[in-house]
Amino acid sequence: VFKENAFSRAHEAAFRGRFSGRVLDTHTYTEDGVAELKSIALKVRQAAPDALFVPDAFPLMGGLLRELRTIGARPKRI
């Protein structure tokens, strides 16, 4: 989960290159509003991952954790 930018894409590529587990999906957002984060939180809940990789602080500062908690979808590791 990350805001669409070159920094985050580079970290995503590095993560995918080293991670030995299964990556379920990548979710990006472009706006600073909460609406996209709410939509992503619902997708995360549906996928029920064990962990989330968040390469930058934008989603966390934008309220992603709050949205995940609100809908009962907090993965074990972030």
Side-chain angles (χ1 to χ4, degrees):
V1 175
F2 56 86
K3 188 169 184 177
E4 182 61 63
N5 58 47
F7 172 86
S8 295
R9 283 290 179 187
H11 280 269
E12 178 203 20
F15 176 80
R16 283 179 176 263
R18 305 269 312 180
F19 184 62
S20 62
R22 185 171 144 232
V23 176
L24 299 176
D25 208 346
T26 295
H27 299 289
T28 63
Y29 69 101
T30 57
E31 301 294 323
D32 288 330
V34 177
E36 281 187 284
L37 290 176
K38 285 183 178 188
S39 174
I40 290 170
L42 290 171
K43 292 173 186 175
V44 168
R45 182 180 69 185
Q46 184 176 14
D50 292 330
L52 287 179
F53 175 66
V54 183
D56 59 44
F58 293 120
L60 302 176
M61 292 185 307
L64 178 62
L65 292 179
R66 181 180 60 247
E67 294 303 325
L68 291 171
R69 275 193 304 270
T70 298
I71 62 172
R74 184 137 183 213
K76 297 172 190 168
R77 295 178 185 202
I78 296 178

Coordinates of all heavy atoms in Angstrom, one line a residue:
V1 N 0.9 -1.2 0.0 CA 0.0 0.0 0.0 C 0.9 1.2 0.0 O 1.7 1.4 0.9 CB -0.9 0.0 1.2 CG1 -1.7 1.3 1.3 CG2 -1.8 -1.2 1.3
F2 N 0.7 2.1 -1.0 CA 1.5 3.3 -1.0 C 1.0 4.3 -2.0 O 0.1 4.0 -2.8 CB 3.0 3.0 -1.4 CG 3.1 2.3 -2.8 CD1 3.2 3.0 -3.9 CD2 3.2 0.9 -2.8 CE1 3.4 2.3 -5.2 CE2 3.4 0.2 -4.0 CZ 3.5 0.9 -5.2
K3 N 1.4 5.6 -1.7 CA 1.0 6.7 -2.6 C 1.9 6.5 -3.9 O 3.1 6.3 -3.8 CB 1.3 8.0 -1.9 CG 0.8 9.2 -2.7 CD 0.8 10.4 -1.9 CE 0.2 11.6 -2.7 NZ 0.1 12.8 -1.9
E4 N 1.3 6.7 -5.0 CA 1.9 6.5 -6.3 C 3.0 7.5 -6.5 O 2.8 8.7 -6.6 CB 0.9 6.6 -7.4 CG 1.5 6.4 -8.8 CD 2.1 5.0 -9.0 OE1 1.4 4.0 -8.9 OE2 3.3 4.9 -9.2
N5 N 4.3 7.1 -6.4 CA 5.4 7.9 -6.7 C 6.6 7.1 -7.0 O 6.6 5.8 -6.7 CB 5.7 8.9 -5.5 CG 5.9 8.2 -4.2 OD1 6.7 7.3 -4.1 ND2 5.2 8.7 -3.2
A6 N 7.7 7.7 -7.5 CA 8.9 6.9 -7.9 C 9.6 6.3 -6.7 O 10.0 5.1 -6.7 CB 9.9 7.8 -8.6
F7 N 9.6 6.9 -5.5 CA 10.2 6.4 -4.3 C 9.5 5.1 -3.9 O 10.2 4.1 -3.7 CB 10.1 7.4 -3.2 CG 10.5 6.9 -1.8 CD1 11.8 7.0 -1.4 CD2 9.5 6.4 -0.9 CE1 12.2 6.5 -0.2 CE2 9.9 5.9 0.3 CZ 11.3 6.0 0.7
S8 N 8.2 5.1 -3.8 CA 7.5 3.9 -3.4 C 7.6 2.8 -4.4 O 7.7 1.6 -4.1 CB 6.0 4.3 -3.2 OG 5.9 5.2 -2.1
R9 N 7.6 3.1 -5.7 CA 7.7 2.1 -6.8 C 9.1 1.4 -6.7 O 9.2 0.2 -6.8 CB 7.5 2.7 -8.1 CG 6.0 2.9 -8.5 CD 5.3 1.6 -8.7 NE 3.9 1.9 -9.0 CZ 3.0 0.9 -9.1 NH1 3.3 -0.3 -8.9 NH2 1.8 1.2 -9.4
A10 N 10.1 2.2 -6.4 CA 11.4 1.6 -6.3 C 11.5 0.6 -5.1 O 12.1 -0.5 -5.1 CB 12.5 2.7 -6.1
H11 N 10.9 1.0 -4.0 CA 10.8 0.2 -2.8 C 10.0 -1.1 -3.0 O 10.3 -2.2 -2.5 CB 10.3 0.9 -1.6 CG 11.4 1.8 -0.9 ND1 12.2 1.3 0.0 CD2 11.8 3.0 -1.2 CE1 13.1 2.3 0.4 NE2 12.9 3.3 -0.4
E12 N 8.9 -0.9 -3.7 CA 8.0 -2.1 -4.0 C 8.8 -3.1 -4.9 O 8.8 -4.3 -4.6 CB 6.8 -1.7 -4.8 CG 5.9 -2.8 -5.2 CD 5.0 -2.6 -6.4 OE1 5.3 -1.7 -7.2 OE2 4.1 -3.4 -6.5
A13 N 9.6 -2.6 -5.9 CA 10.3 -3.5 -6.7 C 11.4 -4.2 -5.9 O 11.6 -5.4 -6.1 CB 11.0 -2.7 -7.9
A14 N 12.1 -3.5 -5.0 CA 13.1 -4.1 -4.2 C 12.5 -5.2 -3.3 O 13.0 -6.2 -3.1 CB 13.9 -3.0 -3.4
F15 N 11.4 -4.8 -2.7 CA 10.7 -5.8 -1.8 C 10.3 -7.0 -2.5 O 10.6 -8.1 -2.1 CB 9.4 -5.1 -1.2 CG 8.6 -6.0 -0.3 CD1 9.0 -6.3 1.0 CD2 7.5 -6.6 -0.8 CE1 8.3 -7.1 1.8 CE2 6.7 -7.5 0.0 CZ 7.1 -7.7 1.3
R16 N 9.7 -6.9 -3.7 CA 9.2 -8.0 -4.5 C 10.5 -8.9 -4.9 O 10.3 -10.1 -5.0 CB 8.5 -7.6 -5.7 CG 7.0 -7.2 -5.4 CD 6.3 -6.8 -6.7 NE 4.9 -6.5 -6.4 CZ 3.9 -7.3 -6.6 NH1 4.1 -8.5 -7.1 NH2 2.7 -6.9 -6.4
G17 N 11.6 -8.2 -5.1 CA 12.8 -9.0 -5.5 C 13.4 -9.8 -4.4 O 14.0 -10.8 -4.6
R18 N 13.1 -9.4 -3.2 CA 13.7 -10.1 -2.0 C 12.7 -11.0 -1.2 O 13.1 -11.9 -0.5 CB 14.3 -9.1 -1.0 CG 15.3 -8.2 -1.6 CD 16.7 -8.6 -1.6 NE 17.1 -9.1 -0.3 CZ 18.3 -9.5 0.0 NH1 19.2 -9.6 -0.9 NH2 18.5 -10.0 1.2
F19 N 11.5 -10.7 -1.3 CA 10.4 -11.3 -0.5 C 10.2 -12.7 -1.0 O 9.9 -12.9 -2.2 CB 9.1 -10.5 -0.5 CG 8.1 -11.1 0.4 CD1 8.2 -11.2 1.7 CD2 6.9 -11.5 -0.2 CE1 7.2 -11.7 2.6 CE2 5.8 -12.0 0.6 CZ 6.0 -12.1 2.0
S20 N 10.3 -13.7 -0.2 CA 10.1 -15.1 -0.6 C 8.7 -15.6 -0.5 O 8.3 -16.7 -1.0 CB 11.0 -16.0 0.2 OG 10.7 -16.0 1.6
G21 N 7.8 -14.8 0.1 CA 6.4 -15.2 0.3 C 5.6 -14.8 -1.0 O 6.1 -14.4 -2.0
R22 N 4.3 -14.9 -0.8 CA 3.4 -14.6 -1.9 C 2.8 -13.1 -1.7 O 2.3 -12.8 -0.7 CB 2.2 -15.6 -1.9 CG 1.3 -15.4 -3.1 CD 0.3 -16.6 -3.1 NE -1.0 -16.0 -3.6 CZ -2.1 -16.2 -3.0 NH1 -2.2 -17.0 -1.9 NH2 -3.2 -15.7 -3.5
V23 N 3.0 -12.3 -2.7 CA 2.4 -11.0 -2.7 C 1.0 -11.1 -3.3 O 0.9 -11.5 -4.5 CB 3.3 -10.0 -3.5 CG1 2.6 -8.6 -3.6 CG2 4.7 -9.9 -2.9
L24 N 0.0 -10.7 -2.5 CA -1.4 -10.8 -3.0 C -1.7 -9.8 -4.0 O -2.4 -10.0 -4.9 CB -2.3 -10.8 -1.8 CG -2.1 -11.9 -0.7 CD1 -3.1 -11.6 0.5 CD2 -2.3 -13.2 -1.3
D25 N -1.3 -8.5 -3.7 CA -1.7 -7.4 -4.6 C -0.9 -6.2 -4.2 O -0.3 -6.1 -3.1 CB -3.2 -7.1 -4.4 CG -3.8 -6.5 -5.7 OD1 -3.1 -6.1 -6.6 OD2 -5.1 -6.5 -5.8
T26 N -1.0 -5.2 -5.1 CA -0.4 -3.9 -4.8 C -1.5 -2.9 -4.9 O -2.3 -2.9 -5.8 CB 0.7 -3.5 -5.8 OG1 1.8 -4.4 -5.6 CG2 1.2 -2.1 -5.6
H27 N -1.6 -2.0 -3.9 CA -2.7 -1.0 -3.9 C -2.0 0.4 -3.8 O -1.2 0.6 -2.9 CB -3.6 -1.1 -2.7 CG -4.3 -2.4 -2.7 ND1 -5.3 -2.7 -3.7 CD2 -4.2 -3.5 -2.0 CE1 -5.8 -4.0 -3.4 NE2 -5.1 -4.5 -2.4
T28 N -2.3 1.3 -4.7 CA -1.7 2.6 -4.7 C -2.9 3.6 -4.7 O -4.0 3.3 -5.0 CB -0.9 2.9 -6.0 OG1 -1.7 2.8 -7.1 CG2 0.3 1.9 -6.1
Y29 N -2.5 4.8 -4.2 CA -3.5 5.9 -4.3 C -2.8 7.1 -4.7 O -1.6 7.3 -4.7 CB -4.2 6.1 -2.9 CG -3.4 6.6 -1.8 CD1 -3.4 7.9 -1.5 CD2 -2.5 5.8 -1.1 CE1 -2.6 8.4 -0.5 CE2 -1.7 6.3 -0.1 CZ -1.8 7.6 0.2 OH -1.0 8.1 1.2
T30 N -3.6 8.1 -5.3 CA -3.0 9.3 -5.8 C -3.5 10.6 -5.1 O -2.8 11.6 -5.1 CB -3.4 9.5 -7.3 OG1 -4.8 9.4 -7.4 CG2 -2.7 8.3 -8.1
E31 N -4.6 10.5 -4.4 CA -5.2 11.7 -3.8 C -4.8 11.7 -2.3 O -4.5 10.6 -1.7 CB -6.7 11.7 -3.9 CG -7.2 11.7 -5.3 CD -6.8 13.0 -6.0 OE1 -6.8 14.1 -5.4 OE2 -6.5 13.0 -7.2
D32 N -4.8 12.8 -1.7 CA -4.5 12.9 -0.2 C -5.7 12.7 0.6 O -5.6 12.8 1.9 CB -3.8 14.2 0.1 CG -2.3 14.2 -0.4 OD1 -1.7 13.1 -0.5 OD2 -1.8 15.3 -0.7
G33 N -6.9 12.6 0.0 CA -8.1 12.4 0.8 C -8.3 11.0 1.3 O -7.5 10.1 1.0
V34 N -9.2 10.8 2.2 CA -9.4 9.6 2.9 C -10.2 8.6 2.0 O -10.1 7.4 2.2 CB -10.2 9.8 4.2 CG1 -10.6 8.5 4.9 CG2 -9.4 10.7 5.1
A35 N -10.9 9.0 1.0 CA -11.8 8.2 0.2 C -11.0 7.0 -0.4 O -11.4 5.8 -0.3 CB -12.5 8.9 -0.9
E36 N -9.8 7.2 -1.0 CA -9.1 6.2 -1.6 C -8.5 5.2 -0.5 O -8.5 4.0 -0.8 CB -7.9 6.7 -2.4 CG -8.3 7.2 -3.8 CD -7.1 7.6 -4.6 OE1 -6.5 8.7 -4.4 OE2 -6.7 6.8 -5.5
L37 N -8.1 5.7 0.6 CA -7.7 4.8 1.7 C -8.8 3.9 2.2 O -8.5 2.8 2.5 CB -7.0 5.7 2.8 CG -5.7 6.3 2.5 CD1 -5.3 7.2 3.7 CD2 -4.7 5.3 2.1
K38 N -10.0 4.5 2.3 CA -11.1 3.6 2.7 C -11.3 2.5 1.7 O -11.5 1.4 2.1 CB -12.4 4.5 2.8 CG -12.4 5.4 4.0 CD -13.7 6.1 4.1 CE -13.8 6.9 5.4 NZ -15.1 7.5 5.6
S39 N -11.2 2.8 0.4 CA -11.4 1.8 -0.6 C -10.3 0.7 -0.5 O -10.6 -0.5 -0.6 CB -11.4 2.4 -2.0 OG -11.4 1.5 -3.0
I40 N -9.1 1.2 -0.3 CA -8.0 0.2 -0.1 C -8.1 -0.6 1.1 O -7.9 -1.8 1.1 CB -6.6 1.0 -0.1 CG1 -6.3 1.6 -1.5 CG2 -5.5 0.1 0.4 CD1 -5.2 2.5 -1.6
A41 N -8.6 0.0 2.2 CA -8.8 -0.8 3.5 C -9.8 -1.9 3.2 O -9.6 -3.0 3.7 CB -9.3 0.2 4.6
L42 N -10.8 -1.6 2.5 CA -11.8 -2.7 2.2 C -11.2 -3.8 1.4 O -11.5 -5.0 1.6 CB -13.0 -2.1 1.5 CG -13.9 -1.2 2.3 CD1 -14.9 -0.5 1.4 CD2 -14.6 -2.0 3.4
K43 N -10.4 -3.5 0.4 CA -9.7 -4.5 -0.4 C -8.7 -5.3 0.5 O -8.6 -6.5 0.3 CB -8.9 -3.8 -1.6 CG -9.8 -3.2 -2.6 CD -9.1 -2.4 -3.6 CE -10.0 -1.7 -4.6 NZ -9.3 -0.9 -5.5
V44 N -8.1 -4.6 1.4 CA -7.1 -5.4 2.3 C -7.9 -6.3 3.2 O -7.6 -7.5 3.3 CB -6.3 -4.4 3.2 CG1 -5.6 -5.1 4.3 CG2 -5.3 -3.6 2.3
R45 N -9.1 -5.9 3.7 CA -9.9 -6.8 4.5 C -10.4 -8.0 3.7 O -10.3 -9.1 4.2 CB -11.1 -6.0 5.0 CG -12.0 -6.9 5.9 CD -13.2 -6.3 6.5 NE -14.1 -6.0 5.4 CZ -15.3 -5.3 5.6 NH1 -15.6 -4.8 6.8 NH2 -16.1 -5.2 4.6
Q46 N -10.7 -7.8 2.5 CA -11.2 -8.9 1.6 C -10.1 -9.9 1.4 O -10.3 -11.1 1.4 CB -11.8 -8.3 0.3 CG -12.3 -9.4 -0.6 CD -13.0 -8.9 -1.8 OE1 -12.8 -7.7 -2.2 NE2 -13.8 -9.7 -2.5
A47 N -8.9 -9.4 1.1 CA -7.7 -10.3 0.8 C -7.2 -11.0 2.1 O -6.6 -12.0 2.0 CB -6.6 -9.5 0.2
A48 N -7.4 -10.4 3.3 CA -7.0 -10.9 4.6 C -5.5 -11.3 4.6 O -5.2 -12.5 4.9 CB -7.9 -12.1 4.9
P49 N -4.6 -10.4 4.3 CA -3.2 -10.7 4.3 C -2.6 -10.9 5.7 O -3.2 -10.4 6.7 CB -2.5 -9.5 3.6 CG -3.4 -8.4 4.0 CD -4.8 -9.0 4.0
D50 N -1.5 -11.6 5.8 CA -0.8 -11.7 7.1 C -0.1 -10.4 7.4 O 0.2 -10.1 8.6 CB 0.2 -12.9 7.0 CG -0.5 -14.2 6.9 OD1 -1.7 -14.4 7.4 OD2 0.1 -15.1 6.3
A51 N 0.4 -9.7 6.4 CA 1.2 -8.5 6.6 C 0.9 -7.5 5.5 O 0.5 -7.9 4.4 CB 2.6 -8.9 6.7
L52 N 1.2 -6.3 5.7 CA 1.2 -5.2 4.7 C 2.6 -4.6 4.6 O 3.3 -4.4 5.6 CB 0.3 -4.1 5.1 CG -1.2 -4.3 5.1 CD1 -2.0 -3.1 5.5 CD2 -1.6 -4.7 3.7
F53 N 3.0 -4.3 3.4 CA 4.3 -3.6 3.2 C 3.9 -2.2 2.8 O 3.2 -2.0 1.8 CB 5.1 -4.3 2.0 CG 6.3 -3.5 1.7 CD1 7.4 -3.4 2.6 CD2 6.5 -2.9 0.4 CE1 8.5 -2.7 2.3 CE2 7.6 -2.2 0.1 CZ 8.6 -2.1 1.0
V54 N 4.3 -1.2 3.6 CA 4.0 0.2 3.3 C 5.3 0.9 3.3 O 5.9 1.2 4.3 CB 3.1 0.8 4.5 CG1 2.7 2.2 4.2 CG2 1.8 -0.1 4.6
P55 N 5.8 1.2 2.1 CA 7.2 1.7 1.9 C 7.4 3.2 2.3 O 8.5 3.6 2.5 CB 7.5 1.5 0.4 CG 6.2 1.5 -0.2 CD 5.2 0.9 0.8
D56 N 6.3 3.9 2.5 CA 6.5 5.3 2.9 C 5.4 5.6 3.9 O 4.5 4.9 4.2 CB 6.5 6.3 1.7 CG 5.2 6.2 0.9 OD1 4.1 6.2 1.5 OD2 5.3 6.2 -0.3
A57 N 5.5 6.8 4.6 CA 4.6 7.1 5.7 C 3.3 7.8 5.2 O 2.4 7.9 6.0 CB 5.4 8.1 6.6
F58 N 3.2 8.1 3.9 CA 2.0 8.8 3.5 C 0.7 8.1 3.8 O -0.2 8.7 4.3 CB 2.1 9.1 2.0 CG 3.1 10.1 1.6 CD1 4.1 9.8 0.7 CD2 3.1 11.4 2.1 CE1 5.1 10.7 0.4 CE2 4.1 12.3 1.8 CZ 5.1 12.0 0.9
P59 N 0.6 6.8 3.5 CA -0.7 6.1 3.8 C -0.9 6.1 5.3 O -2.1 6.2 5.8 CB -0.5 4.7 3.3 CG 0.6 4.8 2.3 CD 1.5 5.9 2.8
L60 N 0.1 5.9 6.1 CA -0.1 5.8 7.6 C -0.5 7.2 8.1 O -1.4 7.3 9.0 CB 1.2 5.4 8.2 CG 1.8 4.0 7.7 CD1 3.1 3.7 8.4 CD2 0.8 2.9 8.0
M61 N 0.1 8.2 7.7 CA -0.3 9.6 8.1 C -1.6 10.0 7.6 O -2.4 10.7 8.2 CB 0.8 10.6 7.6 CG 2.1 10.5 8.3 SD 3.3 11.8 7.8 CE 3.3 11.8 6.1
G62 N -2.0 9.4 6.4 CA -3.3 9.7 5.8 C -4.5 9.0 6.5 O -5.6 9.2 6.2
G63 N -4.2 8.1 7.4 CA -5.3 7.4 8.1 C -5.5 5.9 7.7 O -6.6 5.4 8.1
L64 N -4.6 5.3 7.1 CA -4.8 3.9 6.7 C -5.0 3.0 7.9 O -6.0 2.2 7.9 CB -3.6 3.4 5.8 CG -3.7 1.9 5.4 CD1 -4.9 1.7 4.5 CD2 -2.4 1.5 4.7
L65 N -4.2 3.1 8.9 CA -4.4 2.3 10.1 C -5.8 2.5 10.7 O -6.4 1.6 11.2 CB -3.3 2.5 11.1 CG -1.9 2.0 10.6 CD1 -0.8 2.3 11.7 CD2 -1.9 0.5 10.3
R66 N -6.2 3.7 10.8 CA -7.5 4.1 11.4 C -8.6 3.4 10.6 O -9.5 2.8 11.2 CB -7.7 5.6 11.5 CG -9.0 6.0 12.1 CD -9.2 7.5 12.1 NE -9.1 8.1 10.8 CZ -8.1 8.9 10.4 NH1 -7.1 9.2 11.2 NH2 -8.2 9.4 9.2
E67 N -8.5 3.5 9.3 CA -9.5 2.9 8.4 C -9.5 1.3 8.6 O -10.6 0.7 8.6 CB -9.3 3.2 6.9 CG -9.5 4.7 6.6 CD -10.8 5.2 7.0 OE1 -11.8 4.5 6.9 OE2 -10.9 6.4 7.4
L68 N -8.3 0.7 8.7 CA -8.3 -0.7 8.9 C -8.9 -1.1 10.2 O -9.6 -2.1 10.3 CB -6.8 -1.2 8.8 CG -6.1 -1.1 7.4 CD1 -4.7 -1.4 7.5 CD2 -6.8 -2.1 6.4
R69 N -8.6 -0.4 11.2 CA -9.2 -0.7 12.6 C -10.7 -0.5 12.5 O -11.4 -1.3 13.1 CB -8.6 0.2 13.6 CG -7.3 -0.3 14.2 CD -6.9 0.5 15.5 NE -6.8 1.9 15.3 CZ -5.7 2.6 14.9 NH1 -4.6 2.0 14.7 NH2 -5.8 3.9 14.8
T70 N -11.1 0.5 11.9 CA -12.6 0.8 11.8 C -13.4 -0.3 11.2 O -14.5 -0.7 11.7 CB -12.8 2.1 11.0 OG1 -12.2 3.2 11.7 CG2 -14.3 2.4 10.9
I71 N -12.8 -1.0 10.2 CA -13.5 -2.1 9.6 C -13.0 -3.5 10.0 O -13.4 -4.5 9.5 CB -13.4 -2.0 8.0 CG1 -12.0 -2.1 7.5 CG2 -14.1 -0.7 7.5 CD1 -11.9 -2.2 6.0
G72 N -12.2 -3.5 11.1 CA -11.7 -4.8 11.6 C -10.8 -5.5 10.7 O -10.9 -6.8 10.7
A73 N -9.9 -4.9 10.0 CA -9.1 -5.5 9.1 C -7.6 -5.3 9.3 O -6.8 -5.1 8.4 CB -9.4 -5.0 7.7
R74 N -7.2 -5.3 10.5 CA -5.7 -5.0 10.8 C -4.9 -6.3 10.6 O -5.1 -7.2 11.4 CB -5.6 -4.4 12.2 CG -4.1 -4.0 12.4 CD -4.0 -2.7 13.1 NE -2.6 -2.4 13.2 CZ -2.1 -1.8 14.2 NH1 -2.9 -1.3 15.1 NH2 -0.8 -1.5 14.2
P75 N -4.0 -6.3 9.7 CA -3.1 -7.5 9.5 C -2.2 -7.6 10.8 O -2.0 -6.7 11.5 CB -2.3 -7.2 8.3 CG -3.1 -6.2 7.5 CD -3.8 -5.4 8.6
K76 N -1.6 -8.8 10.9 CA -0.7 -9.0 12.1 C 0.5 -8.2 12.0 O 1.0 -7.8 13.1 CB -0.3 -10.5 12.1 CG -1.5 -11.4 12.3 CD -1.1 -12.9 12.2 CE -2.3 -13.8 12.1 NZ -2.0 -15.1 11.7
R77 N 1.0 -7.9 10.8 CA 2.2 -7.1 10.7 C 2.1 -6.1 9.6 O 1.5 -6.3 8.6 CB 3.4 -8.0 10.3 CG 3.7 -9.0 11.3 CD 4.9 -9.9 10.9 NE 5.1 -10.9 11.9 CZ 6.2 -11.6 12.0 NH1 7.2 -11.3 11.2 NH2 6.3 -12.5 12.9
I78 N 2.6 -4.9 10.0 CA 2.6 -3.8 9.0 C 4.0 -3.2 8.9 O 4.6 -3.1 9.9 CB 1.6 -2.7 9.4 CG1 0.2 -3.3 9.3 CG2 1.7 -1.5 8.5 CD1 -0.9 -2.3 9.7

